């Protein structure tokens, strides 16, 4: 099997290679393989899984978001890697659109690779609003990495989403791991809905 990707070495190297390639938003098979190198077993299969519209390109934000989400490392360390990727102004702050790109890309990428549920555009917007609202930040303003970290700790839905992937295994096994966790969560929710408490 494949080892789990390391945030501080594998992922940071992948981001550096992507930046050296000129930080393209869409990766062809060649640029995908150049960027991921030998990190992802069966990289071409992984590329095909992410290229759902079959246009021979993969969205770099989906790819990097997925790799970071499934890599070893703390949530804070993962945000340190992801935040600058979508911080287009390079001011260590994200505007509302950048937050939506971050949230949507991670959800779409994880859906493609793990089969986890994804969010609609409206749901991505709602999550972004909750982030801004939780810190009393206007939608035409910006949030920091600290805002995002606190939101991921304190918002129950966001935390549950992050926890689902935080302890996942290597990419090929991630789909199975996530599906097992989802089934367990659904069993708990349905037993609670029937008034049965297993706690």
């Amino acid at each position: 099997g494949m080892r789990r990707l390391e945030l501080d070495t594998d992922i940071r190297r992948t981001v550096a290679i992507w930046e050296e390639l000129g930080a393209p938003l869409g990766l062809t098979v060649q640029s995908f393989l150049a960027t991921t190198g030998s990190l992802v077993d069966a990289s071409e299969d992984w590329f095909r899984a992410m290229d759902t519209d079959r246009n021979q390109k993969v969205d770099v934000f989906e790819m990097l978001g997925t790799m970071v989400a499934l890599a070893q490392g703390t949530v804070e360390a993962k945000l340190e890697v992801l935040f600058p990727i979508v911080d287009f102004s390079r001011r260590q702050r994200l505007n509302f659109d950048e937050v939506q790109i971050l949230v949507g890309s991670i959800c779409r990428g994880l859906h493609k690779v793990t089969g986890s549920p994804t969010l609609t555009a409206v749901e991505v917007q709602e999550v972004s609003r909750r982030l801004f609202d939780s810190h009393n930040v206007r939608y035409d303003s910006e949030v920091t990495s600290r805002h995002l970290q606190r939101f991921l700790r304190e918002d129950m839905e966001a935390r549950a989403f992050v926890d689902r992937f935080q302890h996942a295994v290597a990419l090929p096994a991630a789909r199975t791991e996530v599906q097992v966790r989802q089934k367990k969560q659904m069993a708990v929710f349905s037993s609670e809905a029937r008034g049965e408490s297993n706690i």
Side-chain angles (χ1 to χ4, degrees):
M2 190 188 100
R3 66 182 174 77
R4 186 143 178 224
L5 299 178
E6 295 286 338
L7 195 65
D8 288 330
T9 54
D10 301 327
I11 304 299
R12 290 185 192 277
R13 185 172 57 242
T14 298
V15 171
I17 293 168
W18 168 66
E19 289 171 341
E20 287 170 17
L21 291 173
L25 299 180
L27 298 177
T28 62
V29 175
Q30 292 79 12
S31 57
F32 181 87
L33 294 174
T35 304
T36 59
S38 61
L39 295 181
V40 182
D41 283 352
S43 287
E44 289 185 45
D45 293 338
W46 207 66
F47 179 89
R48 279 192 291 280
M50 296 206 72
D51 181 22
T52 53
D53 60 5
R54 302 293 178 241
N55 69 350
Q56 303 305 306
K57 286 201 172 195
V58 168
D59 180 303
V60 75
F61 300 122
E62 291 177 5
M63 181 206 69
L64 292 173
T66 301
M67 290 179 80
V68 170
L70 296 176
Q72 283 184 300
T74 65
V75 172
E76 292 77 16
K78 291 176 181 188
L79 283 175
E80 281 178 31
V81 173
L82 284 173
F83 204 87
I85 293 170
V86 294
D87 177 15
F88 303 122
S89 68
R90 299 285 180 240
R91 294 179 41 227
Q92 287 83 48
R93 304 176 81 71
L94 298 184
N95 65 33
F96 195 83
D97 291 336
E98 291 166 333
V99 168
Q100 289 189 99
I101 290 168
L102 178 65
V103 172
S105 296
I106 292 170
C107 290
R108 284 188 308 276
L110 286 169
H111 171 71
K112 291 174 181 182
V113 172
T114 69
S116 66
T118 191
L119 298 178
T120 66
V122 171
E123 291 167 326
V124 167
Q125 188 176 51
E126 180 55 36
V127 170
S128 303
R129 283 189 176 132
R130 285 202 329 260
L131 165 61
F132 277 71
D133 291 347
S134 70
H135 298 292
N136 296 315
V137 175
R138 293 169 27 151
Y139 301 147
D140 62 356
S141 190
E142 299 166 318
V143 292
T144 65
S145 182
R146 283 202 167 170
H147 288 128
L148 203 46
Q149 288 176 27
R150 195 170 107 204
F151 177 73
L152 292 176
R153 274 194 315 272
E154 296 175 2
D155 184 273
M156 298 216 12
E157 283 181 45
R159 185 178 182 144
F161 178 81
V162 168
D163 286 348
R164 191 178 307 148
F165 300 100
Q166 185 58 18
H167 305 290
V169 290
L171 287 173
R175 177 182 294 260
T176 306
E177 177 77 14
V178 168
Q179 289 170 340
V180 166
R181 287 176 190 213
Q182 287 172 337
K183 284 180 184 169
K184 285 180 184 174
Q185 287 176 344
M186 291 308 292
V188 169
F189 291 141
S190 46
S191 69
E192 286 177 359
R194 291 190 308 266
E196 304 165 10
S197 179
N198 296 348
I199 300 171

